[in-house]
Amino acid sequence: MLSVGVIGTGMIGRDHIRRMTSVLAGVRVAAVTDVDFDVARSVAAFTGAAFRDSGESLITDASVEAVVVCSWGPTHEQYVLAAIAAGKPVFCEKPLAPSQEACLRIVEAEAAHGSRLVQVGYMRRYDPSYRALKAVLATGELGAPLMMHCAHRNASVPGFYGNEMAITDSAVHEIDMVRWMFGEEITAVQVLRPRRNSHGGELQDPLMLLFEMASGAIVDVETSVNIRYGYDIRGEIVGENGTASLGSLSPVRVRLGGKASDPVPADWQERFQTAYDVEFREWIDALRSSGRTSGPSAWDGYAAAVVSDAGVTALRTGERVPVVLAERPELYAPETPT
Amino acid sequence: MLSVGVIGTGMIGRDHIRRMTSVLAGVRVAAVTDVDFDVARSVAAFTGAAFRDSGESLITDASVEAVVVCSWGPTHEQYVLAAIAAGKPVFCEKPLAPSQEACLRIVEAEAAHGSRLVQVGYMRRYDPSYRALKAVLATGELGAPLMMHCAHRNASVPGFYGNEMAITDSAVHEIDMVRWMFGEEITAVQVLRPRRNSHGGELQDPLMLLFEMASGAIVDVETSVNIRYGYDIRGEIVGENGTASLGSLSPVRVRLGGKASDPVPADWQERFQTAYDVEFREWIDALRSSGRTSGPSAWDGYAAAVVSDAGVTALRTGERVPVVLAERPELYAPETPT
Amino acid sequence: MLSVGVIGTGMIGRDHIRRMTSVLAGVRVAAVTDVDFDVARSVAAFTGAAFRDSGESLITDASVEAVVVCSWGPTHEQYVLAAIAAGKPVFCEKPLAPSQEACLRIVEAEAAHGSRLVQVGYMRRYDPSYRALKAVLATGELGAPLMMHCAHRNASVPGFYGNEMAITDSAVHEIDMVRWMFGEEITAVQVLRPRRNSHGGELQDPLMLLFEMASGAIVDVETSVNIRYGYDIRGEIVGENGTASLGSLSPVRVRLGGKASDPVPADWQERFQTAYDVEFREWIDALRSSGRTSGPSAWDGYAAAVVSDAGVTALRTGERVPVVLAERPELYAPETPT
Amino acid sequence: MLSVGVIGTGMIGRDHIRRMTSVLAGVRVAAVTDVDFDVARSVAAFTGAAFRDSGESLITDASVEAVVVCSWGPTHEQYVLAAIAAGKPVFCEKPLAPSQEACLRIVEAEAAHGSRLVQVGYMRRYDPSYRALKAVLATGELGAPLMMHCAHRNASVPGFYGNEMAITDSAVHEIDMVRWMFGEEITAVQVLRPRRNSHGGELQDPLMLLFEMASGAIVDVETSVNIRYGYDIRGEIVGENGTASLGSLSPVRVRLGGKASDPVPADWQERFQTAYDVEFREWIDALRSSGRTSGPSAWDGYAAAVVSDAGVTALRTGERVPVVLAERPELYAPETPT
Ligand SMILES: [Mg+2]
Ligand SMILES: [Mg+2]
Ligand SMILES: [Mg+2]
Ligand SMILES: [Mg+2]
């Protein structure tokens, strides 16, 4: 039984607490905290966990074996660094930190510590469809991957959703995914601005992102965040001999009124429910069996931040923006993640 | 250029005349006739064909090289027999004749003539999807065919459509198709009567037909003639190693309002347009190149009538009804049609 | 935390123990037993559960709140009856008991007890695709269900698999599923014997089962247990306005060598993994929240046994066999399960 | 009966002659010519057409009502101009002419003539799937089109296929198609060069083309010409409310060996057979009924040449290249083609 402390009891924090108390075996929530003490106390009472009055005190609590960080993005760095200082495994929701500099400080702290403690919440690596895609690639039957076509579509976004969020919040999942899928870094980014969707008002939506990979492969990503029909994630890898795409996951096909139709998921919770469960399942199992985490690393969080920053610059300038990464510490070297 | 005489200028006759004058190369309509002289004269004038005042005079007209019979079913026998007597190829719309006895007289007349002149209008043998299915079967990779699951669905039927028409008019296409697909005769028929579709009032709809094939294979056919959503024809052959089914033929896939949907054809004209064109294309080409027809034969028309009769008896009695065919003349022996 | 005792530590028992210890939150395995004491002791040690030397002593163990029966079929009755006698909830793997008489004794015992304790392991009711199908039916947009076409295909079966097992072991899942799907009883069964698959030697495979429902709806079920290509479960409900079928669940689509292809599951474990997890998830949650089970009942287990027996008779005789059920106790009356 | 003269009896010319003599009603081939007199004489003899010893004499032949130009690209201009001079309708295979200057001279000659005589052989406008896509767009239910994702894949290309042919020979079909689909001009082109497919040796393959439309919509086109698995043409329009894509056109679905698979066409002949037939069917019918052609115009041929040139420059330079068109003559103004 892994004892976990959760920092941040907002929507995502509570969902992970539910996952760890009501869904998954082998884990318990030992302590919780939040900037809003009332909420944290209420969640603690409901869950049977201890309330702690700060992230730092939660991290150093002897009953806490591992930490989950779901607090506001700007606070991630301090809690992750504190967990590293305490030598405790820490699962940090994406983004690892709001700036690439902050991410790099975490990378350096973990490298100095000398073993991996940090996992970042990029759950697509745990989605059965993306894993099936990677498994096809791994057989080699497609030959080398040359291109990937992706789409990231939301039915709608809230009013505070700004231009850059299509990159920093939505496409960042594709950024992590293609690095993992191709097993290499993104080296440059370009962002095109198509005709605007009138549902988004002044929002620059959709976007088309173009990633150049270290091998020369090119990835295009459509982000559409007001497309109304549903939440739809698409991906097709183009290899030398053929292609592989995310498949159809329709539980039911209905023939009515001149149409044969398959339902489309309404939102990311529906689409990636299983991925989140598997993500935590494997994190818990890894910590219980080896004490080590093997999912998206601090380096992955850092690289995603650098590419995301390049994307934002590319969006602003219309230019192709090279991605410049710091030197990768040995700790992250022989990476074949997840 | 094949010169054709058309007997019957009703809806189907006019459609075939359109096909032979406006769509297909290598054929002309030389003469037409109909019980309604005014209609026939008007079609003749429009088409540039001669009007003839009887099927018999059309058949013996020296300018007519081949005959197409689209008249009322009860008149088919006399015209087909007259064409055989005249030694002219004759394409007869299904049914070959309204009774198995009449069909058998045609079979015997053609056998006495000594070579094939008659082709019956079972167009599914010319449908690209059914042909692809038969081609898969022919590779042998499925192993022996053991079962076939079929569905024949119409959005609605006219008011005069009676119980037996689901067999004699609709399922008769499956009767011919499975004989051709499996290359063997149907030996017994059973008909089940599911709960009635309220759209059909007192009509016994849907039905479930069960055919036993000579090899022991079993074919089930759903007929639904008031199913509203469209015209849908389905078929899956179950072999020893796997299955093959009629594929998806959707020109476009639309994602809107929570659904990804494919259009369903509205009616048989839309679904089998190409099959009709190919049917005539090949009939014309066969007659022009060899003078011989190779499509569904008088024997096929007879066998369909016998199985259809058995189906009607099975529907009335609820019993399994054996199919008893006359001895097959040598003329139809080494048949591997189309 | 629900404390469960498991009777039977064979393959299925161990899989459920794994599920309750390593996968699902909120449950612990308190005690285990098996006819093979060595195996049971070893499983107990590995799991941290107590070993008990009989099903009866396990059931009456104060630490056991609920019982899972995974022992050999002929022993089910005694353990289920003992659990009822002890007033403890019991999950019994299918079949509830090997004879309809034994099942009826359980029904009567539970009815005498006066509240539901028994749940039978028909996991399809928990499969997301079957649930989506039932949800479409529940909207009413299809109109009344008139037919259902099903197929149950296994790539291969072990040598001891005999003729009747296609009904008692395979199609019994469809028997339970259609009762649940249509919300009504099966009233008669017929079994057709198609041409044999040569992969099965003397085995009568495939079969075609025909179920008549109380409403008059008809269900056909193909069972193919040597079809090589994979494990494939199909189902299409035919309603008055349209149809709904189990959808496509392909994680990936590969285009290679002239084909665009989707993987087919290898076996039932792969296909129904999620259904088993959800089945236990909901059983545990129901017991923890209300102390009551709501899944497939003893009556469902009894009805499945009666229909299965009728199917075996129909297979032997070739006749249509009516299904005659005992009177349903009030306890199971207003049933709209799961 | 339309009497057509064909200039060029190479592979494509002979295929169109076959189409006009053996497939389509209402047309005859009156005369043929070719640089290779022997081939032309032999085709003439086989077809029953007259042999002419030059394109010019064929065009002015009184028996020729309309001209089809299938000769070597560099000769297109002179024959099309000659046909315009003779006031005869002319169908010219793509490209209209090998340079945009030559295309413009044709445009100006036709504009001076004052009515449309020229149709260019962009057959995709006649493909049922592309038409279905355009029909969905025309309903307005997608809202405004914002993006389109396209792929143009060939299994392999001949040895003489050079870098620019992916644009001038392959993507030129997408160039015409998107102008027609969106009903507006392409205003700029960018070409990205992904990692090379090793099957193509030094060939820069695949490519990714990016078109900016006058409305601001963006179109991406993958060209892969050595992808082995088959000939595959893809297209998805992204609108404000949803998307529409070219559908699945699989005649058969085969389940074998762990896979459910659909065949992929082998080449463009198989994929676009119907489109070619419809293209000529409608050209012939239009000329017979109104004497006017309504398909892809000389302006369309010119615009395709300009965009294609811009694409070649973009490929060479790596830069975004604006498309600069001459002023469009009134003749082509109220264009809603096909
Ligand atoms: Mg995440
Ligand atoms: Mg027909
Ligand atoms: Mg079960
Ligand atoms: Mg063309």
Side-chain angles (χ1 to χ4, degrees), chain B residues 69-91:
Chain B
V69 177
C70 302
S71 53
W72 192 42
T75 66
H76 286 189
E77 180 185 6
Q78 73 183 89
Y79 298 134
V80 173
L81 290 176
I84 293 171
K88 292 191 179 175
V90 54
F91 178 100

Side-chain angles (χ1 to χ4, degrees), chain B residues 12 16 91 93-94 120-124 173 268 276 279:
Chain B
I12 294 181
H16 288 328
F91 178 100
E93 259 308 325
K94 64 117 192 160
V120 187
Y122 286 113
M123 79 295 178
R124 288 206 190 168
H173 283 288
W268 55 269
Y276 283 110
E279 178 186 45

Side-chain angles (χ1 to χ4, degrees), chain D residues 1-318:
Chain D
M1 187 71 68
L2 181 74
S3 289
V4 169
V6 177
I7 301 173
T9 56
M11 195 182 71
I12 293 181
R14 288 200 300 269
D15 191 52
H16 287 331
I17 289 170
R18 176 194 61 79
R19 185 166 284 114
M20 290 188 283
T21 54
S22 307
V23 178
L24 302 176
V27 62
R28 60 184 282 270
V29 177
V32 302
T33 189
D34 195 273
V35 282
D36 186 330
F37 282 10
D38 288 344
V39 169
R41 279 200 186 94
S42 145
V43 169
F46 182 80
T47 309
F51 163 76
R52 290 291 169 261
D53 62 5
S54 72
E56 284 74 8
S57 63
L58 179 142
I59 289 166
T60 54
D61 188 321
S63 76
V64 168
E65 296 173 287
V67 179
V68 169
V69 177
C70 304
S71 52
W72 191 43
T75 66
H76 286 188
E77 181 186 6
Q78 72 184 90
Y79 298 134
V80 172
L81 290 177
I84 293 170
K88 293 190 180 176
V90 55
F91 178 100
C92 181
E93 260 308 324
K94 64 115 190 161
L96 176 56
S99 74
Q100 52 176 285
E101 292 74 20
C103 291
L104 190 55
R105 286 190 291 269
I106 293 171
V107 162
E108 288 164 352
E110 190 181 41
H113 172 78
S115 70
R116 284 197 51 195
L117 292 170
V118 181
Q119 177 167 326
V120 188
Y122 286 113
M123 79 293 179
R124 289 208 189 163
R125 301 189 185 197
Y126 302 91
D127 176 66
S129 297
Y130 277 111
R131 286 185 158 185
L133 207 52
K134 193 163 165 64
V136 171
L137 202 51
T139 64
E141 60 190 358
L142 297 182
L146 308 176
M147 305 181 78
M148 184 169 184
H149 307 304
C150 305
H152 184 126
R153 297 175 184 153
N154 290 70
S156 61
V157 285
F160 60 79
Y161 193 98
N163 278 346
E164 301 177 357
M165 293 180 70
I167 297 170
T168 58
D169 245 55
S170 300
V172 73
H173 284 287
E174 265 79 14
I175 290 171
D176 181 68
M177 181 275 294
V178 299
R179 292 181 61 256
W180 166 75
M181 185 67 72
F182 283 71
E184 58 178 321
E185 297 295 352
I186 296 170
T187 56
V189 186
Q190 188 181 351
V191 180
L192 304 183
R193 289 178 285 191
R195 178 177 181 178
R196 278 212 290 265
N197 188 328
S198 62
H199 298 311
E202 292 306 300
L203 191 68
Q204 187 61 52
D205 167 56
L207 295 179
M208 179 152 179
L209 286 72
L210 297 162
F211 299 138
E212 300 173 27
M213 308 302 296
S215 64
I218 288 181
V219 177
D220 54 279
V221 178
E222 170 207 326
T223 60
S224 287
V225 299
N226 280 296
I227 202 168
R228 296 297 181 259
Y229 78 91
Y231 183 79
D232 205 1
I233 297 297
R234 311 272 287 277
E236 179 176 32
I237 295 170
V238 180
E240 295 179 299
N241 305 316
T243 79
S245 22
L246 296 174
S248 162
L249 289 173
S250 172
V252 68
R253 186 159 178 82
V254 176
R255 287 172 172 82
L256 262 183
K259 292 174 185 168
S261 63
D262 301 307
V264 173
D267 52 30
W268 55 270
Q269 287 98 327
E270 182 182 344
R271 173 64 182 82
F272 286 114
Q273 179 73 32
T274 298
Y276 284 110
D277 287 351
V278 175
E279 178 187 45
F280 268 75
R281 173 79 278 148
E282 297 194 3
W283 183 66
I284 294 160
D285 289 351
L287 292 183
R288 289 180 71 197
S289 66
S290 72
R292 296 185 184 207
T293 184
S294 61
S297 70
W299 178 261
D300 294 322
Y302 163 70
V306 177
V307 176
S308 176
D309 283 358
V312 169
T313 304
L315 171 61
R316 286 182 189 154
T317 63

